[in-house]
């Protein structure tokens, strides 16, 4: 088997090439394009919930985003074509870089229709599994959002449906692999290639599971060897981590070559001239991975620990004065809270757009005056309280010496002067109190930055699909937050906060990622976890968190 794997040098070289281009060029370029598109449309974020609004109000931006998505799929399809062409040439014993490049450039007509769709299914099915096993710099950034995991685990039905969906996609992917091979190398139409490759399906299934299990085992083995060496001999941790990632990428690409061997039952290919270029690209990969790892292993600084909606482990009703007074005894760095505009253009401290959950009244904040709202009783987790005006909340927080992080919630019913009015009422006071303001609505952040450049601002986002913004900090949902984004934001001299981090592992991960603030519902637990981590956590533990959490 070793002698056969030696012939797959060109495939390894391609693996390093596409890893480098995707991670350091193409994906940053996609983020650079996505950021101004969302900013130009003043879109807080793209989700299923706001799809109708986006189509009816921002159709041009939606079309541009779809074009961008298709371009990304086209890029990945093109990369897949280059790998399949190289694999075919290697099995024939006729591989040269010049010939493979010429053949790849002639396959432009394949970039469309079924092959792009097949590539999309392949990415959906394999990306979660590949990113779980092979921890290259690119795959470390492919993180399944915590929101999706929370949704799947909320009910057994959701979990079963999610598992079945992935299994169906995985089955289609495995069935499509020989189809894709014939589409590219034999230039067959999809229907013809599908029928022609039908006899290969059992072999493909056997090879997939066999090689998948062995590749996973080798990947884990390399990781364990690296961790053991680090724990025993204490070499430079950045080099150890880079070498582990280097080994994972080599195993991934050699597994692809072995898969082709198993499915096609090829004769032993002869030695190819790809290892020289592969060696050069691997050294470049090691250098860049080493540089990223150096940033990760820099000395840790204790982040701000921020109480989410002013509570600590459900000690009171969210966003009430009772919660503020109770939680301040636990000494948070700051308290995060939410405000809505009222019917009389004042501001009430409340998170939900509908009051039914807390008050039992099916009304929205903008439908009631401030006076009417402050009379309402709220109930949650066995506690009771009253809604409070932002002016009163801010005054009490100042008396208690508790800094605030104020989230401005926006709705289509808000007045056109909401930002100007907020800044006129509270801008200078918030500056004196060292408070922060954040919002999901980029228009709010942009306008406040123009009106009051001294105000500390954070752009609140539910997932990381953009580049950092100039002039303001970032407040990101933690499950998609990655070291690359944090490093970029720090290079712009801006802060990065992570929300809502409620588990010990999540707190460790965000601390090791060097975020500046952690917003949590479990304030006491977060502080205890961070206190333990301040006692010089082991390099091995930090490496383990980076690779697997």
């Amino acid at each position: 088997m070793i002698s056969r794997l030696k012939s797959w040098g060109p495939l390894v070289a391609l693996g390093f090439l596409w890893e480098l281009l995707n991670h350091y060029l193409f994906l940053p370029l996609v983020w650079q394009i996505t950021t101004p598109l969302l900013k130009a449309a003043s879109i807080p974020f793209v989700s299923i919930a706001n799809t109708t609004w986006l189509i009816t109000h921002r159709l041009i931006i939606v079309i541009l985003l779809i074009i961008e998505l298709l371009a990304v799929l086209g890029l990945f399809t093109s990369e897949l074509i280059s790998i399949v062409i190289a694999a075919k040439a290697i099995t024939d014993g006729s591989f040269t870089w010049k010939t493979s490049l010429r053949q790849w450039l002639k396959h432009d007509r394949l970039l469309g229709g079924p092959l792009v769709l097949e590539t999309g299914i392949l990415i959906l099915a394999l990306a979660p599994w590949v990113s779980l096993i092979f921890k290259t710099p690119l795959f470390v950034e492919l993180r399944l959002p915590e929101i999706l995991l929370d949704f799947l685990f909320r009910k057994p039905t959701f979990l079963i449906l999610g598992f079945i969906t992935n299994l169906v996609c995985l089955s289609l992917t495995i069935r499509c692999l020989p189809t894709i091979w014939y589409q590219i190398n034999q230039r067959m139409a999809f229907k013809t290639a599908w029928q022609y490759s039908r006899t290969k399906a059992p072999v493909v299934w056997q090879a997939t599971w066999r090689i998948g299990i062995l590749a996973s085992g080798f990947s884990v083995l390399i990781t364990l060897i690296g961790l053991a060496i680090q724990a025993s001999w204490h070499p430079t941790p950045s080099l150890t981590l880079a070498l582990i990632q280097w080994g994972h990428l080599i195993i991934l690409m050699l597994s692809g070559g072995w898969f082709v061997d198993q499915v096609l039952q090829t004769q032993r290919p002869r030695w190819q001239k790809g290892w020289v270029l592969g060696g050069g690209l691997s050294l470049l990969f090691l250098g860049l991975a080493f540089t990223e790892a150096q940033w990760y292993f820099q000395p840790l600084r204790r982040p701000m620990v921020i109480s989410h909606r002013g509570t600590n482990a459900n000690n009171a009703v969210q966003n009430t004065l009772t919660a503020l007074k109770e939680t301040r005894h636990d000494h948070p760095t700051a308290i995060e809270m939410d405000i809505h505009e009222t019917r009389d253009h004042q501001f009430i401290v409340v998170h939900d757009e509908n009051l039914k959950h807390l008050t039992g009244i099916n009304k929205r904040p903008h439908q009631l005056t401030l006076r009417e709202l402050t009379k309402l009783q709220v109930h949650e987790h066995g506690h009771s309280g009253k809604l409070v005006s932002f002016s009163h909340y801010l005054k009490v927080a100042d008396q208690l010496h508790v800094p605030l992080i104020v989230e401005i919630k926006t709705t289509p019913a808000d007045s056109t002067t909401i930002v100007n009015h907020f800044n006129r009422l509270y801008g200078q006071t918030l500056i004196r109190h060292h408070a922060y303001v954040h919002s999901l609505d980029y228009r709010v952040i942009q306008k406040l930055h123009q009106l009051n450049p001294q105000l500390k601002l954070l752009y609140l986002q539910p997932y990381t699909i953009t580049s950092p913004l100039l002039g303001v900090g970032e407040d990101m949902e933690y499950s998609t937050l990655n070291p690359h984004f944090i490093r970029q934001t720090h290079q712009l001299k801006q802060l990065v906060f992570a929300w809502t981090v409620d588990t010990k592992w999540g707190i460790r991960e965000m601390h090791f990622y060097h975020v500046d603030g952690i917003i949590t519902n479990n304030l006491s637990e977060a502080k205890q976890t961070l206190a333990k981590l301040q006692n010089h956590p082991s390099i091995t533990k930090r490496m383990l968190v980076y690779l697997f959490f």
Side-chain angles (χ1 to χ4, degrees):
M1 185 180 74
I2 298 298
S3 60
R4 295 179 71 88
L5 292 179
K6 285 181 180 180
S7 58
W8 291 101
L11 209 62
V12 174
L14 274 177
F16 280 113
L17 177 64
W18 289 128
E19 166 79 21
L20 291 167
L21 290 176
N22 285 330
H23 182 59
Y24 296 103
L25 179 61
F26 296 146
L27 287 185
L29 182 61
V30 169
W31 293 330
Q32 291 289 345
I33 295 172
T34 304
T35 301
L37 282 177
L38 297 183
K39 283 171 59 179
S42 299
I43 299 174
F45 59 95
V46 179
S47 70
I48 295 174
N50 67 356
T51 299
T52 303
W53 183 89
L54 290 173
I55 293 173
T56 55
H57 291 79
R58 299 289 188 271
L59 181 59
I60 294 177
I61 298 298
V62 170
I63 292 172
L64 290 174
L65 289 172
I66 292 173
I67 291 172
E68 182 187 23
L69 176 61
L70 291 176
V72 171
L73 275 177
L75 172 65
F76 289 151
T77 304
S78 182
E79 294 175 12
L80 177 64
I81 290 172
S82 72
I83 290 171
V84 172
I85 287 174
K88 176 66 166 59
I90 292 169
T91 60
D92 294 341
S94 60
F95 177 86
T96 66
W97 287 108
K98 186 177 180 180
T99 303
S100 295
L101 178 61
R102 188 184 301 118
Q103 291 179 352
W104 177 51
L105 293 175
K106 288 180 179 178
H107 278 70
D108 289 344
R109 69 179 185 83
L110 292 173
L111 291 177
L115 192 58
V116 173
L117 179 61
E118 290 169 75
T119 303
I121 294 173
L122 186 147
I123 292 171
L124 285 175
L126 295 183
W129 301 103
V130 173
S131 63
L132 181 68
I133 299 167
F134 302 102
K135 295 299 180 177
T136 70
L138 176 64
F139 291 135
V140 165
E141 294 189 16
L142 295 177
R143 299 157 56 85
L144 194 61
E146 188 74 15
I147 293 174
L148 177 59
L149 291 176
D150 177 67
F151 177 78
L152 290 176
F153 281 96
R154 197 175 299 164
K155 289 183 179 180
T157 307
F158 294 159
L159 185 61
I160 293 170
L161 286 175
F163 177 78
I164 291 174
T165 301
N166 186 263
L167 191 62
V168 169
C169 287
L170 194 61
S171 301
L172 281 173
T173 297
I174 294 173
R175 177 63 183 85
C176 281
L177 286 175
T179 305
I180 292 172
W181 178 273
Y182 290 120
Q183 281 177 274
I184 295 172
N185 288 315
Q186 306 297 331
R187 293 182 176 255
M188 292 182 179
F190 169 77
K191 186 175 181 181
T192 306
W194 179 271
Q195 294 173 345
Y196 191 79
S197 62
R198 185 177 300 170
T199 56
K200 293 289 184 181
V203 180
V204 171
W205 272 98
Q206 293 174 14
T208 300
W209 293 115
R210 185 187 307 122
I211 295 170
I213 291 171
L214 286 174
S216 301
F218 280 120
S219 176
V220 171
L221 180 62
I222 283 179
T223 302
L224 293 176
I225 291 173
L227 293 174
I229 291 173
Q230 186 63 49
S232 302
W233 288 287
H234 311 292
T236 303
S238 303
L239 180 59
T240 305
L241 183 57
L243 285 170
I244 290 174
Q245 294 180 309
W246 176 80
H248 283 193
L249 186 53
I250 288 179
I251 290 173
L252 175 62
M253 298 313 297
L254 289 181
S255 298
W258 190 19
F259 176 84
V260 172
D261 269 348
Q262 292 290 304
V263 172
L264 298 182
Q265 298 295 314
T266 58
Q267 298 298 317
R268 176 177 159 182
R270 63 176 184 240
W271 178 272
Q272 306 291 338
K273 298 180 180 180
W275 286 103
V276 175
L277 179 60
L281 290 172
S282 71
L283 288 176
L284 178 59
F285 171 89
L286 276 174
L288 293 172
F290 177 80
T291 302
E292 286 196 6
Q294 277 190 311
W295 174 87
Y296 178 73
F297 287 114
Q298 66 181 307
L300 295 170
R301 295 176 300 159
R302 187 181 179 89
M304 298 169 63
V305 187
I306 301 153
S307 165
H308 185 228
R309 303 184 194 174
T311 64
N312 179 18
N314 301 326
N315 61 343
V317 183
Q318 59 176 282
N319 285 317
T320 59
L321 285 178
T322 304
L324 171 64
K325 293 173 181 177
E326 287 289 329
T327 302
R328 67 108 177 187
H329 294 298
D330 300 311
H331 307 292
T333 312
I335 279 181
E336 188 270 349
M337 38 79 68
D338 313 271
I339 61 172
H340 274 276
E341 189 182 37
T342 65
R343 193 175 74 188
D344 52 348
H345 308 308
Q346 301 302 308
F347 294 94
I348 188 74
V349 181
V350 68
H351 174 273
D352 296 348
E353 193 174 333
N354 192 297
L355 302 169
K356 189 172 183 180
H357 172 67
L358 292 178
T359 68
I361 299 172
N362 188 21
K363 292 283 187 180
R364 299 175 185 274
H366 69 83
Q367 295 176 313
L368 303 173
T369 65
L370 182 64
R371 186 172 182 177
E372 291 170 329
L373 286 162
T374 52
K375 291 180 180 179
L376 296 179
Q377 287 279 340
V378 289
H379 310 277
E380 188 179 41
H381 305 302
H383 303 285
S384 298
K386 274 192 168 185
L387 292 180
V388 59
S389 70
F390 178 52
S391 296
H392 190 191
Y393 193 101
L394 181 59
K395 181 179 178 180
V396 174
D398 183 40
Q399 292 171 349
L400 299 175
H401 305 290
V402 178
L404 296 180
I405 298 178
V406 184
E407 180 178 349
I408 300 178
K409 296 283 189 178
T410 59
T411 71
D414 291 333
S415 65
T416 56
T417 59
I418 178 175
V419 179
N420 299 67
H421 188 50
F422 173 85
N423 182 63
R424 186 168 58 252
L425 290 177
Y426 307 112
Q428 295 307 312
T429 304
L430 292 172
I431 291 173
R432 288 197 303 272
H433 293 176
H434 306 288
Y436 291 83
V437 177
H438 64 176
S439 178
L440 277 166
D441 192 333
Y442 180 72
R443 295 167 297 179
V444 170
I445 299 302
Q446 187 180 42
K447 186 68 174 178
L448 277 175
H449 189 54
Q450 293 171 352
L451 293 171
N452 199 343
Q454 293 180 317
L455 196 58
K456 297 177 181 178
L457 301 172
L458 301 163
Y459 183 33
L460 188 62
Q461 298 185 71
Y463 35 71
T464 310
I465 60 170
T466 63
S467 295
L469 301 174
L470 292 173
V472 299
E474 302 283 351
D475 194 350
M476 310 295 296
E477 198 281 321
Y478 87 97
S479 67
T480 63
L481 195 52
N482 58 69
H484 184 73
F485 183 90
I486 298 169
R487 187 174 65 256
Q488 280 188 312
T489 308
H490 285 169
Q491 288 171 350
L492 296 173
K493 309 298 182 185
Q494 297 296 336
L495 301 178
V496 181
F497 289 4
W499 61 272
T500 303
V501 195
D502 292 334
T503 65
K504 291 181 179 179
W505 274 111
I507 291 164
R508 290 191 189 100
E509 183 181 35
M510 291 300 102
H511 184 37
F512 293 165
Y513 279 6
H514 307 287
V515 298
D516 303 288
I518 293 175
I519 300 175
T520 179
N521 289 307
N522 299 322
L523 179 68
S524 298
E525 183 178 66
K527 292 181 69 175
Q528 291 170 6
T529 302
L530 289 170
K532 293 177 182 177
L533 293 175
Q534 286 303 113
N535 298 325
H536 306 290
S538 70
I539 292 296
T540 304
K541 181 180 288 187
R542 291 177 68 177
M543 200 175 293
L544 192 63
V545 167
Y546 181 86
L547 290 170
F548 293 107
F549 297 95

